[in-house]
C-alpha cells in the first residue's frame, strides 16, 4: 500500500527550485558597454585638456607639448588594427577591461612623475590602453546589439560622452591641483575595468569556425575612407571652434566654451539619432544622409551672423557629423563578418585617429587664413564623403553578429 501511494504521487522536486538564472538583457549590456566606452575615451579627451598644464607646471615648450599629444595619438591609433586581428583570432574578451584600466593608470600616473621621457611613455601607454579597448569592446558590443543599429549607437555614443566630459571634469581639478590631478582619474578606470572583466560573456558550448558570409574588402575600404573624412571634419571643428568664436565672432571665452559644448552635445545626439534612422532607412542611406546634412550645417556655422545663430549651427554640425558614426562601425562589421574585431579596430580607432593626426595641417592653414579660413576648408570636406558614399553597397545577406564570446 505504501509502495502504491508513492508510485502514484508526483515526482520529486528538482534540486534547483529557484527561477532560472537570467543573463542581462541586450539593452542593459549595451548601457554597460556605452558607459565603458565613455570612460575609455575620457582618457583620450584628457590628454589635450592636461597638456596646457604640463606646459605651465613643468615649463615644457611647444614641441614637448606637441610630443605628448603625438604619444597619445600613436598609442591609440597604430596598434588597433593589429589588436583587432588578434581579437578575431583568439578569445581576448578580457582585453576590453584590461584596456580601460591601462588607459586610466597610464594617464593618471603621468602627472606624478617628473622626467619628460617618463611622462611621454606613460601617455603612450595610456593610448595603447585605449587601443586595447576598442576592438574587443566593439566586437562584444556588436554581439550584444545584434542587428539593431539603435543599440549599437548607445555604445558609440559613449565615446562622444567621454570626449565631452574630459574638459568639464579635468579643468577645475587641474586649476586647483596642477598636473598631479591626473591621479584622481585612476579609480574610474579600475572600477570599470573590473566590471567588464566580471561581466564578460561566457564562451558558447560550441561555435562555428566562421560567421556566415564572406568578407567584402572593397566596400570596407570605401567605408574606412568615409570615416577618415568624417573624422577630419569633426576634429577640425573640435580644434578651431573656440578660436573662431573668440577671434572672428569676437566673443569671450565663456561663449566660446559654450559653442564647443554645444558641438559635442550635438555629437552625442547625432550618434544616437543615427542608429534610430538606420533601423528605419538602412545603413548605407544613413551614412549618405550624414554627408548631405553636414555641408549646410558647416556652411551655416561659418556664415551665420552673430553669436546665437552660429551656436545653433554648431549643434547641428555636431549632429550631422555624428549621424553616421555608429552606423559606420556596424556597417564595417557587416562588411567583414568574419573579422568584427578588426573592423572595430579600424573604424573606431585607426580612421578616427587619422582625423586627429591631420589637425596640425589645418593649423598651418589657420596660420595663413585664421580659424574662419579653416572652417571654409571644413565645409568642403564632407563633399568627399558624399562622393565616396555613392560607392557603398548594402552588405551581403545572411551576415549576422556572432555570439558573444568570453575573453579566455
Amino acid at each position: 500500500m505504501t509502495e502504491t501511494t508513492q508510485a502514484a504521487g508526483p515526482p520529486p522536486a528538482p534540486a534547483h527550485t529557484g527561477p532560472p538564472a537570467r543573463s542581462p538583457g541586450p539593452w542593459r549590456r549595451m548601457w554597460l558597454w556605452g558607459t565603458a566606452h565613455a570612460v575609455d575615451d575620457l582618457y583620450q579627451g584628457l590628454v589635450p585638456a592636461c597638456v596646457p598644464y604640463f606646459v605651465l607646471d613643468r615649463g615644457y615648450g611647444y614641441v614637448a607639448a606637441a610630443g605628448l599629444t603625438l604619444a597619445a595619438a600613436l598609442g591609440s591609433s597604430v596598434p588597433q588594427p593589429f589588436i583587432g586581428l588578434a581579437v578575431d583570432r583568439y578569445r581576448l574578451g578580457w582585453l576590453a577591461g584590461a584596456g580601460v584600466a591601462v588607459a586610466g593608470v597610464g594617464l593618471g600616473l603621468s602627472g606624478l612623475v617628473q622626467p619628460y621621457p617618463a611622462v611621454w611613455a606613460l601617455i603612450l601607454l595610456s593610448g595603447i590602453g585605449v587601443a586595447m579597448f576598442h576592438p574587443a569592446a566593439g566586437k562584444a558590443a556588436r554581439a550584444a546589439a545584434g542587428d539593431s543599429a539603435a543599440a549599437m549607437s548607445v555604445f558609440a555614443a559613449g565615446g562622444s560622452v567621454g570626449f565631452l566630459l574630459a574638459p568639464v571634469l579635468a579643468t577645475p581639478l587641474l586649476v586647483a591641483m596642477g598636473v598631479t590631478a591626473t591621479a584622481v582619474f585612476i579609480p574610474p578606470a579600475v572600477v570599470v575595468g573590473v566590471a567588464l572583466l566580471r561581466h564578460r560573456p561566457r564562451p558558447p558550448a560550441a561555435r562555428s569556425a566562421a560567421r556566415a558570409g564572406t568578407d567584402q574588402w572593397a566596400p570596407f575600404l570605401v567605408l574606412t575612407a568615409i570615416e577618415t573624412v568624417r573624422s577630419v571634419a569633426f576634429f577640425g571643428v573640435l580644434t578651431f571652434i573656440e578660436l573662431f568664436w573668440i577671434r572672428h565672432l569676437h566673443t569671450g571665452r565663456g561663449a566660446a566654451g559654450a559653442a564647443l559644448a554645444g558641438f559635442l552635445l550635438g555629437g552625442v545626439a547625432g550618434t544616437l539619432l543615427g542608429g534610430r534612422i538606420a533601423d528605419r532607412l538602412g545603413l548605407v542611406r544613413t551614412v549618405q544622409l550624414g554627408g548631405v546634412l553636414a555641408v549646410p550645417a558647416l556652411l551655416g556655422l561659418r556664415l551665420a551672423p552673430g553669436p546665437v545663430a552660429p551656436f545653433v549651427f554648431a549643434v547641428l554640425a555636431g549632429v550631422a557629423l555624428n549621424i553616421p558614426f555608429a552606423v559606420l562601425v556596424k556597417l564595417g562589421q557587416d562588411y567583414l563578418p568574419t573579422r568584427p574585431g578588426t573592423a572595430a579596430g579600424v573604424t573606431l580607432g585607426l580612421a578616427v585617429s587619422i582625423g586627429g593626426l591631420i589637425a596640425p595641417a589645418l593649423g598651418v592653414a589657420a596660420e595663413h587664413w585664421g580659424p574662419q579660413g579653416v572652417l571654409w576648408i571644413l565645409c568642403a570636406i564632407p563633399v568627399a564623403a558624399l562622393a565616396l558614399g555613392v560607392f557603398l553597397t548594402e552588405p551581403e545577406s545572411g551576415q549576422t553578429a556572432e555570439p558573444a564570446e568570453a575573453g579566455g
Side-chain angles (χ1 to χ4, degrees), residues 135-151:
K139 181 179 180 180
R142 174 62 200 274
D147 285 330
S148 172

PDB file of all heavy atoms in Angstrom, residues 135-151:
ATOM      1  N   PRO A 135      38.820  47.323 -30.172  1.00  0.00           N
ATOM      2  CA  PRO A 135      38.450  46.135 -30.952  1.00  0.00           C
ATOM      3  C   PRO A 135      37.663  45.103 -30.144  1.00  0.00           C
ATOM      4  O   PRO A 135      36.665  44.563 -30.617  1.00  0.00           O
ATOM      5  CB  PRO A 135      39.804  45.594 -31.416  1.00  0.00           C
ATOM      6  CG  PRO A 135      40.732  46.759 -31.350  1.00  0.00           C
ATOM      7  CD  PRO A 135      40.275  47.558 -30.181  1.00  0.00           C
ATOM      8  N   ALA A 136      38.134  44.812 -28.915  1.00  0.00           N
ATOM      9  CA  ALA A 136      37.445  43.824 -28.093  1.00  0.00           C
ATOM     10  C   ALA A 136      36.058  44.304 -27.694  1.00  0.00           C
ATOM     11  O   ALA A 136      35.075  43.549 -27.749  1.00  0.00           O
ATOM     12  CB  ALA A 136      38.278  43.508 -26.848  1.00  0.00           C
ATOM     13  N   ALA A 137      35.953  45.580 -27.298  1.00  0.00           N
ATOM     14  CA  ALA A 137      34.656  46.116 -26.899  1.00  0.00           C
ATOM     15  C   ALA A 137      33.715  46.228 -28.094  1.00  0.00           C
ATOM     16  O   ALA A 137      32.520  45.945 -27.989  1.00  0.00           O
ATOM     17  CB  ALA A 137      34.841  47.484 -26.245  1.00  0.00           C
ATOM     18  N   GLY A 138      34.247  46.656 -29.244  1.00  0.00           N
ATOM     19  CA  GLY A 138      33.405  46.762 -30.427  1.00  0.00           C
ATOM     20  C   GLY A 138      32.848  45.423 -30.854  1.00  0.00           C
ATOM     21  O   GLY A 138      31.682  45.314 -31.253  1.00  0.00           O
ATOM     22  N   LYS A 139      33.641  44.377 -30.748  1.00  0.00           N
ATOM     23  CA  LYS A 139      33.184  43.033 -31.095  1.00  0.00           C
ATOM     24  C   LYS A 139      32.104  42.559 -30.122  1.00  0.00           C
ATOM     25  O   LYS A 139      31.053  42.050 -30.530  1.00  0.00           O
ATOM     26  CB  LYS A 139      34.368  42.080 -31.094  1.00  0.00           C
ATOM     27  CG  LYS A 139      34.011  40.644 -31.462  1.00  0.00           C
ATOM     28  CD  LYS A 139      35.255  39.764 -31.467  1.00  0.00           C
ATOM     29  CE  LYS A 139      34.903  38.329 -31.843  1.00  0.00           C
ATOM     30  NZ  LYS A 139      36.104  37.459 -31.864  1.00  0.00           N
ATOM     31  N   ALA A 140      32.352  42.726 -28.817  1.00  0.00           N
ATOM     32  CA  ALA A 140      31.389  42.281 -27.816  1.00  0.00           C
ATOM     33  C   ALA A 140      30.105  43.109 -27.864  1.00  0.00           C
ATOM     34  O   ALA A 140      29.007  42.572 -27.710  1.00  0.00           O
ATOM     35  CB  ALA A 140      32.015  42.355 -26.423  1.00  0.00           C
ATOM     36  N   ALA A 141      30.237  44.418 -28.073  1.00  0.00           N
ATOM     37  CA  ALA A 141      29.049  45.272 -28.155  1.00  0.00           C
ATOM     38  C   ALA A 141      28.195  44.902 -29.356  1.00  0.00           C
ATOM     39  O   ALA A 141      26.965  44.893 -29.278  1.00  0.00           O
ATOM     40  CB  ALA A 141      29.466  46.745 -28.219  1.00  0.00           C
ATOM     41  N   ARG A 142      28.827  44.591 -30.479  1.00  0.00           N
ATOM     42  CA  ARG A 142      28.054  44.184 -31.655  1.00  0.00           C
ATOM     43  C   ARG A 142      27.319  42.880 -31.402  1.00  0.00           C
ATOM     44  O   ARG A 142      26.171  42.703 -31.821  1.00  0.00           O
ATOM     45  CB  ARG A 142      28.971  44.051 -32.865  1.00  0.00           C
ATOM     46  CG  ARG A 142      28.266  43.493 -34.105  1.00  0.00           C
ATOM     47  CD  ARG A 142      27.134  44.441 -34.544  1.00  0.00           C
ATOM     48  NE  ARG A 142      26.180  43.738 -35.384  1.00  0.00           N
ATOM     49  CZ  ARG A 142      26.309  43.583 -36.703  1.00  0.00           C
ATOM     50  NH1 ARG A 142      27.382  44.069 -37.312  1.00  0.00           N
ATOM     51  NH2 ARG A 142      25.392  42.956 -37.385  1.00  0.00           N
ATOM     52  N   ALA A 143      27.963  41.932 -30.713  1.00  0.00           N
ATOM     53  CA  ALA A 143      27.302  40.675 -30.381  1.00  0.00           C
ATOM     54  C   ALA A 143      26.092  40.923 -29.490  1.00  0.00           C
ATOM     55  O   ALA A 143      25.052  40.286 -29.643  1.00  0.00           O
ATOM     56  CB  ALA A 143      28.289  39.727 -29.712  1.00  0.00           C
ATOM     57  N   ALA A 144      26.210  41.867 -28.551  1.00  0.00           N
ATOM     58  CA  ALA A 144      25.089  42.191 -27.665  1.00  0.00           C
ATOM     59  C   ALA A 144      23.989  42.940 -28.402  1.00  0.00           C
ATOM     60  O   ALA A 144      22.807  42.745 -28.142  1.00  0.00           O
ATOM     61  CB  ALA A 144      25.585  43.018 -26.481  1.00  0.00           C
ATOM     62  N   ALA A 145      24.363  43.804 -29.350  1.00  0.00           N
ATOM     63  CA  ALA A 145      23.378  44.618 -30.075  1.00  0.00           C
ATOM     64  C   ALA A 145      22.653  43.833 -31.153  1.00  0.00           C
ATOM     65  O   ALA A 145      21.539  44.189 -31.541  1.00  0.00           O
ATOM     66  CB  ALA A 145      24.080  45.833 -30.700  1.00  0.00           C
ATOM     67  N   GLY A 146      23.260  42.762 -31.672  1.00  0.00           N
ATOM     68  CA  GLY A 146      22.643  42.044 -32.781  1.00  0.00           C
ATOM     69  C   GLY A 146      22.570  42.914 -34.017  1.00  0.00           C
ATOM     70  O   GLY A 146      23.530  43.581 -34.374  1.00  0.00           O
ATOM     71  N   ASP A 147      21.417  42.937 -34.650  1.00  0.00           N
ATOM     72  CA  ASP A 147      21.244  43.724 -35.872  1.00  0.00           C
ATOM     73  C   ASP A 147      20.650  45.107 -35.621  1.00  0.00           C
ATOM     74  O   ASP A 147      20.270  45.793 -36.568  1.00  0.00           O
ATOM     75  CB  ASP A 147      20.347  42.962 -36.861  1.00  0.00           C
ATOM     76  CG  ASP A 147      21.094  41.818 -37.526  1.00  0.00           C
ATOM     77  OD1 ASP A 147      22.323  41.941 -37.693  1.00  0.00           O
ATOM     78  OD2 ASP A 147      20.456  40.809 -37.857  1.00  0.00           O
ATOM     79  N   SER A 148      20.566  45.525 -34.364  1.00  0.00           N
ATOM     80  CA  SER A 148      19.975  46.825 -34.040  1.00  0.00           C
ATOM     81  C   SER A 148      21.032  47.927 -34.098  1.00  0.00           C
ATOM     82  O   SER A 148      21.955  47.961 -33.282  1.00  0.00           O
ATOM     83  CB  SER A 148      19.338  46.796 -32.647  1.00  0.00           C
ATOM     84  OG  SER A 148      18.936  48.091 -32.247  1.00  0.00           O
ATOM     85  N   ALA A 149      20.880  48.824 -35.063  1.00  0.00           N
ATOM     86  CA  ALA A 149      21.783  49.972 -35.128  1.00  0.00           C
ATOM     87  C   ALA A 149      21.539  50.924 -33.966  1.00  0.00           C
ATOM     88  O   ALA A 149      22.460  51.592 -33.492  1.00  0.00           O
ATOM     89  CB  ALA A 149      21.595  50.703 -36.460  1.00  0.00           C
ATOM     90  N   ALA A 150      20.290  50.998 -33.498  1.00  0.00           N
ATOM     91  CA  ALA A 150      19.987  51.860 -32.351  1.00  0.00           C
ATOM     92  C   ALA A 150      20.731  51.387 -31.109  1.00  0.00           C
ATOM     93  O   ALA A 150      21.260  52.198 -30.344  1.00  0.00           O
ATOM     94  CB  ALA A 150      18.482  51.886 -32.096  1.00  0.00           C
ATOM     95  N   ALA A 151      20.776  50.065 -30.889  1.00  0.00           N
ATOM     96  CA  ALA A 151      21.514  49.537 -29.743  1.00  0.00           C
ATOM     97  C   ALA A 151      23.005  49.807 -29.901  1.00  0.00           C
ATOM     98  O   ALA A 151      23.686  50.187 -28.946  1.00  0.00           O
ATOM     99  CB  ALA A 151      21.247  48.040 -29.598  1.00  0.00           C
TER     100      ALA A 151
END
